[in-house]
Amino acid sequence: MNGKQDLRASHDDLEHLSQEQIRAQWRSLFEFMNRRHAGVLAVAILLSIASGIVVPTLAYFLGRIFNLFADYAVKQITGATFSSKVSRYCLYLVALGSANWLLNGGFFAFWVAFGELQANSARQKLYDAMLHKEIAWYDTRRSGMSAIIPRFQAQIRDLQLAVSQPFGFSLQYMVTLVASLGLALYSAWDLSLITIASLPLGTLFVSWISSRMQPTIEMQNTELGAASKICSNAFHNIEMIKCLNGQNKELRSYLEIIKRAAYQYLKVAHGNALQIGVIRMLVLSMFVQGFWYGDHIAEEGRKTAGDVLTAFWACLMAMQTVEQLLPQMIVLEKGRIAGTTLAAGLTTIERGKQVSEATGGRIPRFCEGDIAFDRVSFSYPSQGSQIALNNVSLFFPAGETTFVLGRSGSGKSTLSNLLLRFYDPSSGSIRIDGEYTQELNIGWLRNNITVVQQHTILFNETLFRNIALGHNDYGEVTKSEAKSCIDVADLVNTVLELPDGLDTSVGSDGSSLSGGQRQRVAIARARLRNTAILILDEATNALDYASKQKVMQAIRKWRYGRTTIIVTHDVSQIGLDDYAYVLDEGRVTEEGYRRNLQLKKNGFLARQSAIDAKRIAASTTKNGRRLTNDRELSLVGESPRSSACSPVSGGSHLDQNLIAMSKALPPLPDAEISQRRSRAMSIVPMAHIGRMTNARRASTLFQSPSRQMAFQPADVACTDLSTDIQTDDVRARDSLLVSSRSPRRSMRRLPNLLTTSHLHEARDDNWNLDKIDTESNLPIPDLQQVLPRRLLTLRKILRTVWPSLNKVDRTWLLGGYFFAVVHAASTPVFSWVFSRLLATFFKPRDSRSSEDLRWSMAVLGVAIVDAVSSYLMHFLLERAGQAWVDSLRAEAMQRILDQPKEWYDTRSDTLEQLVTSLDRSAEEMRNLIGRFSGFILVAMTIVITALTWCLIVCWRLTVVGISTGPILYAITRGFEVLSGRWEGHSNAAGEAIANVFTETFSNIRTIRALTLEAYFHKKYDLACFAAIKTGFRRAILSGFFFGISDGSVVLVCALVFWYGGLLATAERYSVNSIITVITMLMFSISGANAIVAFIPQINSSRDTASQVLSLASLPFRESHEHKGRIRISKLPGTISFNNISYHYATHPKHDVLASVSFSIPLKTFTVLAGASGSGKSTLIALLLGLYPLSQRPPASRSSPFKNSPGSSLDGVISIGQYPLSSLHLPTFRSLIGYVRQHPTLFPGTIASNIIYGLPEDSQFATDASIRGAAILAGIDGFIDSLPRGLSTLVGEGGTTLSGGQVQRVAIARALVRQPQLLILDEPTSSLDPQGARLVRDSLKKLVTGGVTVLVVTHSIEMMKVADRIVLLESGKVAEQGSFDRLMAIEKGQLKVLLAGGDELA
């Protein structure tokens, strides 16, 4: 119990950290630093200090130059001296500008590089920690991994943004602040102290506001995580959402959460705007208090006018740096919260229980395969007190096949989870070859066990790579080796039909393959893996009967002499001499050989054997002969020891009555079972080796430790024992020879395991891209293929703002821009007023007092107006920006949900990228309005206002300043274009990393089971390396152009002062006018140049905005789903498929259906049957309107069941007199109950899952209706056993249900709607026989009650209760009719299919 408490504590720590726990510190920005980053950080800090000193140095020179102008104005120096000194100082400015170029360029590049390193370190540490986390940790995430993974990615992005330019600029500003204050104190310390007296007050205010913002930002992140979870679940389950008309429900849930997140952000925006407004007020008004004292000390002669001006300029620059810090504060605040949260989460993950290190534990030399469960009890961490296994004792002898049977939820699949050590038993022990599993090396353990589950997981790779990943040396697997495994899995025809054969990409989670085809790929992968122990957990339930028999026969021959555990509901696979366990409610209720178990009155096998006898009788020909073969003998009649290696004559046939045959055999004594149990209790390694001949044992002793896992071609030929011995001797010799020649090849499984615990160490020392690629045999991610990059211009993006806002939000936007103009105008007005105030220094002392007072009050008035306008500008634009983003989010979500299923299949980016676009991308694009649009408008207004004013005052000097504009524009434009391009590349690289991250932890069970941690870690390393390589290139190029842009401002100042000096000596303008123009030009140029620092962030927001806008501009209500207008309240008549042909858009050259024609009369029970991949599920998808119909019947393929040529109904599905395309699909779907082949549950309670999609006021959304549907689906007993009953949380982050339990809840969801048409795709594939019988009985009752039922199934029992069977073969209708009629047809297709694929001789 302590382990469970630790898990719950870990969960609470990670997902519900208190504010005290996550109180962010500035050091949180550097939580992921390591020694390799220290050099980059040190250089970045040094360059920040050096570049920060540039500004006060500039202030010093400006003070000296202004002092020269003041002296020249009062005739204290001659014109020649004035010109000479001004020219000299201008040369100093040129040198300073050049140094500024180099320093700022390097500063920018190194900080961007440091941000890349920090992000990479965070990604790697988080990946490492999660990769080593036990499965129970994943089960107990209440919010689910679909919410956690996008949040982690967003937080890493926040951290990266913060420690890049924003932190670098902040440090630079701090250096400038200190240096400016030092210069001010040096020039006039008393004046400086008086001037900046309000600085401590402002600092305290800013700190107080920041402390209030932190919990609000965290609340916003929590809400965004919940929104991401909704998106992820909706996109992954879009098929069911459409069929249940749940789009509006998902959209409403999403918008409610987004609204709460927006409320939290606006609180943050208000605090940030208040900070900026207050600091702006303090910055501009401080000169009022300082000027009087400055005038006093200048009048007394204690300081010169130049000293006073230098102190003023230095104080102004110091306060401006504080002001420039504030826009970065929100980024830094989010960054340090992200750093703190990531570090706290990482600590929590690492603090909890970890997967045992691969290098720890015993590594036995052999794995014979004896498995013993000794009084094992277990309950899943996510299920609380509900017991999965209760004091279970089992023994699986090495080299034998053992079956495990039982009802859904009885604990069968739990056995494989415990064997693989996904979990540890609560009590009892598990041993393999006498060794306790908890003492074995976990890597060795998993490399000797292969589990093939009913819900097969395939990776987003080619078909060949998915099979090759079963082998440890996946890079060395040849296609000939893969093809031999494909033969075992009966996958040949599937490969031949794929457009690129083995090189065809199967899509995310194998979405381009049918359920049966995915299971066959998994079996082929298991064959290549060829471990000592194989567990098949309903691994063939999606296959048709003939394919199942063929595959099981191949598996029997392949696994002869190897430990095999088969978990199944299909007792026809069990031979008379096969040993079986029956589990019920976590206990062993029966065990023994089938020949005895089926004689046990009311026993599980006795009941099912009676059903088998009926099936066998049903497949008997009229003359008493049965369609059978050696395959049938192996699977049903005889043990593998008697049939697998003995030829069966063509005239030998199984007796028609299996029960009678078994009764003739003597029952197995209880002592035999006791002996089997005692072997389990006393087993030691190699104890049962006596079952092997001495020669066979001897050959085994010389095998390498990894020999049991080595690849061996499928051995389908039957051989005698001597041949087998000889083969093993040869193999043993070959093993030794290969070991001496190629140690890496012969020991290929263990080295992979031994490195998984040191992955981070190997990665840190391996930065050579070519070397990584060679060792891993993995392709380097193509960043251009991650997401279509159609980067929109800033103008096009901003043009979407106005149409997206309502009247109120438009008012906020206009108000924000109005106050932005006021704020912008305040800058040149202040510079002019301030210049008039400074000009009083050049006037006689007796006339200063009145002007001093007038201009001081003017400065104070401008400061108040500017502070208020600045506050309103920032807050109103942030509010408008949030409204814009939320509007686009809603539009994008609505349009994504509106897209047809075909759109989801053909997208080049993943569903996770769609989630990221609505989460992180939308958050970044808001900055275009909230932060950057105001700055751009301010800069434009400043430039226009200042230039107009300057042209009036001194047009010659103004024209000289303007002449540098084209050069500055060209530099800035080049920086913008280059930065935009590389920001796009960097974002694409980040998405490639996120894709691998998501693929890994969404499929963590399969990856663990196949020991593919090293493969996916290397794949992740490659994506990270590509990203950091792209980031370094971006840093170098962006830094170069940023340095030029920033340094050019100082060069322009030198030019303006030099020409101003010429005009002053020529006496064409007064010194007062020249000073006024120079002051306004400097303020204007520096203000406009401040935008340059935001260009990389603007381009990043531009890139993310392009992604969001591409989703928000998707076609809406233009697909085939919206063409129909006819609303029906009941089914108007027979459902007819008229000469239907179809191919998926992903495989346009492969016709899935070819001229399919048949009808489904109302109130009948129809079954669609056929081999896997024959088109059954495609017909269902077309009937549900998920795909548009292609009306192109192929000329080369024909069907005997079709309309006459040229019929107007060709290519049409009709519902009564209406074509399906003319019906209003939501209305039509409301009449349908649908259960898909692999059902999923939505996050929520069992009750909410059952009534999902029903209107809130629906008469069916009642407790009575829910309970009735649960009874019909056979799930009511299980629900009652749960502590919270119907209120139990299920789906991601909830209680884990078995496959059968999920299927029953899905059936209840279909039944509660009281549909007129019930469509079920393999509804009993995960159910035990009792549950399947209950479903069949319920379906018969529904048909009697007037419901039309259409079922896709391989179940013979389901076919027998149907009114009609439509048999598909290769996309065509092969036969149709009742079960009895089709079975009576000599050499009929259904009869051949059910008999195992052989025709009568």
Side-chain angles (χ1 to χ4, degrees), residues 569-613:
H569 296 132
D570 185 4
V571 298
S572 68
Q573 300 177 19
I574 309 176
L576 291 176
D577 289 341
D578 282 328
Y579 203 88
Y581 291 96
V582 179
L583 298 183
D584 188 26
E585 296 183 353
R587 295 177 179 270
V588 177
T589 57
E590 300 177 58
E591 67 170 295
Y593 292 99
R594 172 173 177 163
R595 64 173 180 264
N596 296 290
L597 289 179
Q598 64 190 17
L599 298 178
K600 186 176 180 180
K601 187 177 181 180
N602 295 325
F604 185 88
L605 267 168
R607 296 192 302 269
Q608 299 313 309
S609 294
I611 297 174
D612 264 359

Short mmCIF file of all heavy atoms in Angstrom, two decimals, residues 569-613:
data_model
loop_
_atom_site.label_atom_id
_atom_site.label_comp_id
_atom_site.label_asym_id
_atom_site.label_seq_id
_atom_site.Cartn_x
_atom_site.Cartn_y
_atom_site.Cartn_z
N HIS A 569 -10.71 -15.71 -25.92
CA HIS A 569 -12.09 -16.11 -25.67
C HIS A 569 -12.51 -17.21 -26.63
O HIS A 569 -13.58 -17.78 -26.46
CB HIS A 569 -13.04 -14.91 -25.86
CG HIS A 569 -12.81 -13.82 -24.89
ND1 HIS A 569 -12.71 -12.49 -25.27
CD2 HIS A 569 -12.64 -13.83 -23.55
CE1 HIS A 569 -12.50 -11.75 -24.19
NE2 HIS A 569 -12.46 -12.54 -23.14
N ASP A 570 -11.69 -17.46 -27.62
CA ASP A 570 -12.02 -18.42 -28.66
C ASP A 570 -11.48 -19.80 -28.28
O ASP A 570 -10.31 -20.10 -28.48
CB ASP A 570 -11.42 -17.95 -30.00
CG ASP A 570 -11.82 -18.85 -31.15
OD1 ASP A 570 -12.62 -19.78 -30.94
OD2 ASP A 570 -11.32 -18.62 -32.27
N VAL A 571 -12.35 -20.64 -27.74
CA VAL A 571 -11.89 -21.96 -27.27
C VAL A 571 -11.62 -22.91 -28.42
O VAL A 571 -11.06 -23.99 -28.21
CB VAL A 571 -12.94 -22.57 -26.30
CG1 VAL A 571 -13.11 -21.71 -25.09
CG2 VAL A 571 -14.27 -22.79 -27.01
N SER A 572 -12.01 -22.54 -29.64
CA SER A 572 -11.73 -23.41 -30.78
C SER A 572 -10.24 -23.52 -31.05
O SER A 572 -9.80 -24.43 -31.74
CB SER A 572 -12.45 -22.89 -32.03
OG SER A 572 -11.88 -21.66 -32.45
N GLN A 573 -9.45 -22.59 -30.51
CA GLN A 573 -8.01 -22.64 -30.70
C GLN A 573 -7.35 -23.66 -29.77
O GLN A 573 -6.17 -23.97 -29.93
CB GLN A 573 -7.40 -21.25 -30.43
CG GLN A 573 -7.91 -20.16 -31.33
CD GLN A 573 -7.31 -18.81 -30.97
OE1 GLN A 573 -6.29 -18.73 -30.31
NE2 GLN A 573 -7.96 -17.74 -31.41
N ILE A 574 -8.09 -24.18 -28.78
CA ILE A 574 -7.50 -25.03 -27.75
C ILE A 574 -7.61 -26.49 -28.15
O ILE A 574 -8.71 -26.99 -28.44
CB ILE A 574 -8.19 -24.79 -26.39
CG1 ILE A 574 -8.24 -23.29 -26.07
CG2 ILE A 574 -7.46 -25.55 -25.29
CD1 ILE A 574 -8.98 -22.98 -24.80
N GLY A 575 -6.48 -27.18 -28.18
CA GLY A 575 -6.50 -28.61 -28.47
C GLY A 575 -6.88 -29.41 -27.24
O GLY A 575 -6.86 -28.93 -26.11
N LEU A 576 -7.23 -30.68 -27.45
CA LEU A 576 -7.66 -31.54 -26.35
C LEU A 576 -6.56 -31.71 -25.31
O LEU A 576 -6.83 -31.85 -24.12
CB LEU A 576 -8.08 -32.91 -26.89
CG LEU A 576 -9.37 -32.92 -27.72
CD1 LEU A 576 -9.62 -34.31 -28.27
CD2 LEU A 576 -10.56 -32.46 -26.89
N ASP A 577 -5.31 -31.70 -25.74
CA ASP A 577 -4.20 -31.89 -24.81
C ASP A 577 -3.55 -30.57 -24.40
O ASP A 577 -2.46 -30.57 -23.84
CB ASP A 577 -3.13 -32.79 -25.44
CG ASP A 577 -3.60 -34.24 -25.54
OD1 ASP A 577 -4.55 -34.59 -24.82
OD2 ASP A 577 -3.05 -34.99 -26.36
N ASP A 578 -4.21 -29.47 -24.68
CA ASP A 578 -3.71 -28.17 -24.24
C ASP A 578 -4.18 -27.89 -22.83
O ASP A 578 -5.32 -28.16 -22.46
CB ASP A 578 -4.20 -27.05 -25.17
CG ASP A 578 -3.43 -26.99 -26.47
OD1 ASP A 578 -2.24 -27.33 -26.46
OD2 ASP A 578 -4.04 -26.63 -27.49
N TYR A 579 -3.28 -27.31 -22.06
CA TYR A 579 -3.60 -26.96 -20.68
C TYR A 579 -4.17 -25.55 -20.65
O TYR A 579 -3.70 -24.66 -21.37
CB TYR A 579 -2.35 -27.03 -19.81
CG TYR A 579 -2.63 -27.22 -18.34
CD1 TYR A 579 -2.77 -28.50 -17.82
CD2 TYR A 579 -2.76 -26.14 -17.49
CE1 TYR A 579 -3.02 -28.70 -16.46
CE2 TYR A 579 -3.02 -26.31 -16.15
CZ TYR A 579 -3.16 -27.60 -15.62
OH TYR A 579 -3.42 -27.78 -14.29
N ALA A 580 -5.17 -25.34 -19.82
CA ALA A 580 -5.84 -24.04 -19.77
C ALA A 580 -6.16 -23.66 -18.34
O ALA A 580 -6.43 -24.52 -17.50
CB ALA A 580 -7.12 -24.06 -20.61
N TYR A 581 -6.10 -22.37 -18.09
CA TYR A 581 -6.56 -21.79 -16.84
C TYR A 581 -7.78 -20.93 -17.14
O TYR A 581 -7.84 -20.25 -18.17
CB TYR A 581 -5.49 -20.91 -16.20
CG TYR A 581 -4.29 -21.66 -15.68
CD1 TYR A 581 -3.14 -21.77 -16.46
CD2 TYR A 581 -4.29 -22.23 -14.41
CE1 TYR A 581 -2.03 -22.45 -15.98
CE2 TYR A 581 -3.18 -22.91 -13.93
CZ TYR A 581 -2.06 -23.01 -14.72
OH TYR A 581 -0.96 -23.68 -14.25
N VAL A 582 -8.73 -20.95 -16.23
CA VAL A 582 -9.91 -20.10 -16.35
C VAL A 582 -9.91 -19.14 -15.16
O VAL A 582 -9.87 -19.58 -14.00
CB VAL A 582 -11.21 -20.92 -16.37
CG1 VAL A 582 -12.42 -19.99 -16.46
CG2 VAL A 582 -11.21 -21.89 -17.53
N LEU A 583 -9.92 -17.84 -15.45
CA LEU A 583 -9.95 -16.81 -14.42
C LEU A 583 -11.34 -16.20 -14.33
O LEU A 583 -12.02 -16.03 -15.35
CB LEU A 583 -8.93 -15.72 -14.71
CG LEU A 583 -7.44 -16.11 -14.76
CD1 LEU A 583 -6.59 -14.87 -15.00
CD2 LEU A 583 -7.01 -16.79 -13.49
N ASP A 584 -11.72 -15.86 -13.12
CA ASP A 584 -12.98 -15.16 -12.93
C ASP A 584 -12.84 -14.28 -11.70
O ASP A 584 -12.51 -14.76 -10.60
CB ASP A 584 -14.13 -16.15 -12.73
CG ASP A 584 -15.49 -15.46 -12.72
OD1 ASP A 584 -15.60 -14.37 -13.32
OD2 ASP A 584 -16.43 -15.98 -12.10
N GLU A 585 -13.05 -12.98 -11.91
CA GLU A 585 -12.93 -11.99 -10.83
C GLU A 585 -11.58 -12.09 -10.12
O GLU A 585 -11.48 -12.01 -8.90
CB GLU A 585 -14.07 -12.14 -9.83
CG GLU A 585 -15.44 -11.85 -10.43
CD GLU A 585 -16.55 -11.93 -9.41
OE1 GLU A 585 -16.27 -12.35 -8.26
OE2 GLU A 585 -17.69 -11.58 -9.75
N GLY A 586 -10.53 -12.29 -10.92
CA GLY A 586 -9.18 -12.30 -10.39
C GLY A 586 -8.76 -13.58 -9.71
O GLY A 586 -7.68 -13.62 -9.10
N ARG A 587 -9.53 -14.64 -9.81
CA ARG A 587 -9.19 -15.91 -9.19
C ARG A 587 -9.15 -17.01 -10.25
O ARG A 587 -9.85 -16.93 -11.27
CB ARG A 587 -10.21 -16.29 -8.11
CG ARG A 587 -10.24 -15.35 -6.91
CD ARG A 587 -11.32 -15.78 -5.94
NE ARG A 587 -11.37 -14.93 -4.77
CZ ARG A 587 -10.67 -15.14 -3.66
NH1 ARG A 587 -9.87 -16.20 -3.58
NH2 ARG A 587 -10.77 -14.32 -2.63
N VAL A 588 -8.38 -18.05 -9.97
CA VAL A 588 -8.38 -19.23 -10.83
C VAL A 588 -9.54 -20.11 -10.41
O VAL A 588 -9.56 -20.65 -9.29
CB VAL A 588 -7.05 -20.00 -10.72
CG1 VAL A 588 -7.10 -21.26 -11.57
CG2 VAL A 588 -5.89 -19.12 -11.14
N THR A 589 -10.52 -20.24 -11.28
CA THR A 589 -11.70 -21.06 -10.97
C THR A 589 -11.61 -22.45 -11.57
O THR A 589 -12.26 -23.38 -11.07
CB THR A 589 -12.97 -20.35 -11.48
OG1 THR A 589 -12.84 -20.13 -12.89
CG2 THR A 589 -13.17 -19.02 -10.76
N GLU A 590 -10.85 -22.59 -12.65
CA GLU A 590 -10.68 -23.90 -13.27
C GLU A 590 -9.28 -23.98 -13.84
O GLU A 590 -8.71 -22.97 -14.27
CB GLU A 590 -11.69 -24.12 -14.41
CG GLU A 590 -13.14 -24.05 -14.01
CD GLU A 590 -14.05 -24.21 -15.23
OE1 GLU A 590 -13.94 -25.24 -15.92
OE2 GLU A 590 -14.83 -23.28 -15.50
N GLU A 591 -8.76 -25.22 -13.89
CA GLU A 591 -7.52 -25.45 -14.60
C GLU A 591 -7.44 -26.92 -14.97
O GLU A 591 -8.01 -27.78 -14.30
CB GLU A 591 -6.31 -25.05 -13.75
CG GLU A 591 -6.06 -25.90 -12.52
CD GLU A 591 -4.73 -25.59 -11.88
OE1 GLU A 591 -3.70 -25.84 -12.54
OE2 GLU A 591 -4.73 -25.09 -10.74
N GLY A 592 -6.75 -27.19 -16.04
CA GLY A 592 -6.58 -28.57 -16.49
C GLY A 592 -6.51 -28.64 -17.99
O GLY A 592 -6.52 -27.62 -18.70
N TYR A 593 -6.42 -29.89 -18.51
CA TYR A 593 -6.42 -30.08 -19.96
C TYR A 593 -7.83 -29.96 -20.49
O TYR A 593 -8.81 -30.30 -19.81
CB TYR A 593 -5.82 -31.44 -20.30
CG TYR A 593 -4.34 -31.52 -19.99
CD1 TYR A 593 -3.88 -32.11 -18.81
CD2 TYR A 593 -3.42 -30.97 -20.87
CE1 TYR A 593 -2.53 -32.15 -18.52
CE2 TYR A 593 -2.06 -31.02 -20.58
CZ TYR A 593 -1.62 -31.60 -19.40
OH TYR A 593 -0.28 -31.64 -19.11
N ARG A 594 -7.93 -29.57 -21.71
CA ARG A 594 -9.26 -29.30 -22.26
C ARG A 594 -10.14 -30.54 -22.23
O ARG A 594 -11.34 -30.44 -21.97
CB ARG A 594 -9.14 -28.79 -23.70
CG ARG A 594 -10.51 -28.69 -24.37
CD ARG A 594 -10.50 -28.06 -25.70
NE ARG A 594 -11.86 -28.09 -26.24
CZ ARG A 594 -12.28 -27.36 -27.24
NH1 ARG A 594 -11.45 -26.53 -27.83
NH2 ARG A 594 -13.53 -27.45 -27.66
N ARG A 595 -9.57 -31.70 -22.49
CA ARG A 595 -10.39 -32.91 -22.57
C ARG A 595 -11.12 -33.19 -21.27
O ARG A 595 -12.14 -33.87 -21.24
CB ARG A 595 -9.53 -34.10 -22.98
CG ARG A 595 -8.45 -34.48 -21.99
CD ARG A 595 -7.77 -35.79 -22.41
NE ARG A 595 -6.72 -36.17 -21.47
CZ ARG A 595 -5.45 -35.89 -21.63
NH1 ARG A 595 -5.05 -35.23 -22.71
NH2 ARG A 595 -4.55 -36.27 -20.73
N ASN A 596 -10.58 -32.65 -20.16
CA ASN A 596 -11.22 -32.82 -18.87
C ASN A 596 -12.08 -31.63 -18.49
O ASN A 596 -13.15 -31.78 -17.92
CB ASN A 596 -10.17 -33.06 -17.79
CG ASN A 596 -9.41 -34.35 -18.02
OD1 ASN A 596 -9.96 -35.44 -17.88
ND2 ASN A 596 -8.16 -34.24 -18.40
N LEU A 597 -11.58 -30.44 -18.81
CA LEU A 597 -12.34 -29.24 -18.45
C LEU A 597 -13.69 -29.18 -19.15
O LEU A 597 -14.67 -28.72 -18.57
CB LEU A 597 -11.53 -27.98 -18.78
CG LEU A 597 -10.31 -27.70 -17.90
CD1 LEU A 597 -9.60 -26.44 -18.38
CD2 LEU A 597 -10.69 -27.56 -16.44
N GLN A 598 -13.75 -29.68 -20.37
CA GLN A 598 -15.01 -29.57 -21.10
C GLN A 598 -16.04 -30.59 -20.62
O GLN A 598 -17.21 -30.53 -21.01
CB GLN A 598 -14.77 -29.74 -22.60
CG GLN A 598 -14.25 -31.09 -23.02
CD GLN A 598 -13.82 -31.08 -24.48
OE1 GLN A 598 -13.62 -30.02 -25.07
NE2 GLN A 598 -13.68 -32.26 -25.06
N LEU A 599 -15.59 -31.51 -19.74
CA LEU A 599 -16.51 -32.47 -19.15
C LEU A 599 -17.07 -31.98 -17.82
O LEU A 599 -18.00 -32.57 -17.28
CB LEU A 599 -15.80 -33.82 -18.94
CG LEU A 599 -15.28 -34.51 -20.20
CD1 LEU A 599 -14.56 -35.79 -19.82
CD2 LEU A 599 -16.39 -34.78 -21.19
N LYS A 600 -16.47 -30.91 -17.31
CA LYS A 600 -16.89 -30.39 -16.01
C LYS A 600 -18.25 -29.71 -16.14
O LYS A 600 -18.42 -28.77 -16.92
CB LYS A 600 -15.85 -29.39 -15.50
CG LYS A 600 -16.12 -28.89 -14.10
CD LYS A 600 -14.99 -27.98 -13.63
CE LYS A 600 -15.25 -27.47 -12.24
NZ LYS A 600 -14.15 -26.58 -11.76
N LYS A 601 -19.19 -30.18 -15.38
CA LYS A 601 -20.55 -29.67 -15.47
C LYS A 601 -20.59 -28.18 -15.13
O LYS A 601 -20.03 -27.75 -14.13
CB LYS A 601 -21.45 -30.45 -14.53
CG LYS A 601 -22.94 -30.09 -14.69
CD LYS A 601 -23.79 -30.94 -13.79
CE LYS A 601 -25.28 -30.60 -13.98
NZ LYS A 601 -26.15 -31.43 -13.12
N ASN A 602 -21.22 -27.41 -16.00
CA ASN A 602 -21.36 -25.96 -15.85
C ASN A 602 -20.02 -25.23 -15.85
O ASN A 602 -19.93 -24.08 -15.45
CB ASN A 602 -22.10 -25.61 -14.56
CG ASN A 602 -23.53 -26.10 -14.57
OD1 ASN A 602 -24.19 -26.10 -15.62
ND2 ASN A 602 -24.03 -26.55 -13.41
N GLY A 603 -18.97 -25.91 -16.31
CA GLY A 603 -17.68 -25.26 -16.41
C GLY A 603 -17.61 -24.34 -17.61
O GLY A 603 -18.42 -24.42 -18.55
N PHE A 604 -16.62 -23.46 -17.59
CA PHE A 604 -16.46 -22.48 -18.66
C PHE A 604 -16.27 -23.18 -20.01
O PHE A 604 -16.93 -22.85 -21.00
CB PHE A 604 -15.25 -21.59 -18.35
CG PHE A 604 -15.05 -20.46 -19.31
CD1 PHE A 604 -15.67 -19.24 -19.12
CD2 PHE A 604 -14.22 -20.61 -20.42
CE1 PHE A 604 -15.48 -18.19 -20.00
CE2 PHE A 604 -14.02 -19.57 -21.31
CZ PHE A 604 -14.66 -18.36 -21.09
N LEU A 605 -15.37 -24.15 -20.07
CA LEU A 605 -15.09 -24.83 -21.33
C LEU A 605 -16.21 -25.77 -21.72
O LEU A 605 -16.44 -26.00 -22.91
CB LEU A 605 -13.78 -25.60 -21.22
CG LEU A 605 -12.55 -24.84 -21.70
CD1 LEU A 605 -11.28 -25.55 -21.30
CD2 LEU A 605 -12.58 -24.65 -23.19
N ALA A 606 -16.91 -26.33 -20.75
CA ALA A 606 -18.02 -27.21 -21.09
C ALA A 606 -19.10 -26.45 -21.84
O ALA A 606 -19.66 -26.93 -22.83
CB ALA A 606 -18.59 -27.83 -19.81
N ARG A 607 -19.36 -25.21 -21.36
CA ARG A 607 -20.37 -24.41 -22.05
C ARG A 607 -19.93 -24.03 -23.45
O ARG A 607 -20.69 -24.07 -24.40
CB ARG A 607 -20.67 -23.15 -21.23
CG ARG A 607 -21.29 -23.42 -19.87
CD ARG A 607 -21.81 -22.13 -19.25
NE ARG A 607 -20.79 -21.14 -19.09
CZ ARG A 607 -20.05 -21.01 -17.98
NH1 ARG A 607 -20.23 -21.83 -16.96
NH2 ARG A 607 -19.15 -20.06 -17.89
N GLN A 608 -18.65 -23.67 -23.58
CA GLN A 608 -18.17 -23.24 -24.88
C GLN A 608 -17.98 -24.40 -25.84
O GLN A 608 -18.11 -24.24 -27.05
CB GLN A 608 -16.86 -22.46 -24.72
CG GLN A 608 -17.00 -21.21 -23.88
CD GLN A 608 -18.21 -20.38 -24.29
OE1 GLN A 608 -18.39 -20.07 -25.46
NE2 GLN A 608 -19.05 -20.02 -23.33
N SER A 609 -17.67 -25.59 -25.32
CA SER A 609 -17.48 -26.75 -26.19
C SER A 609 -18.79 -27.14 -26.84
O SER A 609 -18.83 -27.60 -27.98
CB SER A 609 -16.92 -27.92 -25.39
OG SER A 609 -15.62 -27.64 -24.95
N ALA A 610 -19.89 -26.95 -26.12
CA ALA A 610 -21.20 -27.22 -26.71
C ALA A 610 -21.45 -26.29 -27.88
O ALA A 610 -21.98 -26.69 -28.92
CB ALA A 610 -22.29 -27.06 -25.65
N ILE A 611 -21.03 -25.02 -27.73
CA ILE A 611 -21.18 -24.07 -28.84
C ILE A 611 -20.29 -24.49 -30.01
O ILE A 611 -20.68 -24.43 -31.17
CB ILE A 611 -20.82 -22.65 -28.36
CG1 ILE A 611 -21.80 -22.21 -27.28
CG2 ILE A 611 -20.83 -21.67 -29.52
CD1 ILE A 611 -21.45 -20.89 -26.63
N ASP A 612 -19.05 -24.93 -29.69
CA ASP A 612 -18.14 -25.39 -30.74
C ASP A 612 -18.72 -26.57 -31.50
O ASP A 612 -18.59 -26.67 -32.72
CB ASP A 612 -16.80 -25.79 -30.12
CG ASP A 612 -15.80 -24.67 -30.20
OD1 ASP A 612 -16.15 -23.62 -30.75
OD2 ASP A 612 -14.67 -24.85 -29.70
N ALA A 613 -19.37 -27.48 -30.76
CA ALA A 613 -19.93 -28.65 -31.42
C ALA A 613 -21.00 -28.24 -32.43
O ALA A 613 -21.08 -28.78 -33.53
CB ALA A 613 -20.54 -29.60 -30.37
#
